Amino acid sequence: MVEEPTGSAVPDDDRGVYGISVAAELTGMGTQNLRAYEAHGLLEPARTGGGTRRYSANDLHRLRRIRELLAAGLNLAGIGMVLRLQDENRRLRAEKEASP
């Protein structure tokens, strides 16, 4: 958790805090769609000890990106390829910035 100057706690972008129904509402998607995207390996929300999905701010961003790619006409396999390439590109950029 990151502390705001006012003292209120704000979760970091990787921490799963949203349940599936809240995540679906925030992204304008159905809960079944979120489950399908997970089944296709497009995202992997955190799980509680009891197995309940918990979506992070980064997961919500990824879900919105999935929605954009679907609107552009890509199928789930194509979206998976795009997301993997974007993740790899992000990783490589971070490595390049970290090296002297």
Side-chain angles (χ1 to χ4, degrees), residues 24 34 36 42-43 50 52-53 56 59 61 64-65 76 90:
L34 274 60
L42 301 180
L43 78 155
T52 302
R53 292 172 178 86
S56 67
D59 291 330
H61 176 74
R64 291 182 186 109
R65 183 67 178 133
L76 295 182
R90 195 173 298 111

Side-chain angles (χ1 to χ4, degrees), residues 2-96:
V2 177
E3 285 290 323
E4 294 255 329
T6 60
S8 63
V10 177
D12 66 59
D13 289 343
D14 289 324
R15 183 165 180 234
V17 294
Y18 305 104
I20 191 168
S21 60
V22 174
E25 183 179 337
L26 291 172
T27 59
M29 299 176 162
T31 57
Q32 292 298 334
N33 292 350
L34 274 60
R35 289 183 184 99
Y37 303 150
E38 183 182 355
H40 279 86
L42 301 180
L43 78 155
E44 189 176 336
R47 298 275 185 158
T48 65
T52 302
R53 292 172 178 86
R54 290 288 179 209
Y55 294 84
S56 67
N58 287 337
D59 291 330
L60 298 181
H61 176 74
R62 192 169 184 94
L63 286 165
R64 291 182 186 109
R65 183 67 178 133
I66 291 168
R67 186 180 58 214
E68 291 171 359
L69 294 169
L70 284 167
L74 276 73
N75 63 20
L76 295 182
I79 291 171
M81 293 169 69
V82 168
L83 293 176
R84 280 189 295 279
L85 288 170
Q86 289 177 333
D87 290 345
E88 179 68 9
N89 188 27
R90 195 173 298 111
R91 185 189 65 76
L92 290 170
R93 285 177 187 262
E95 282 180 13
K96 182 179 177 185

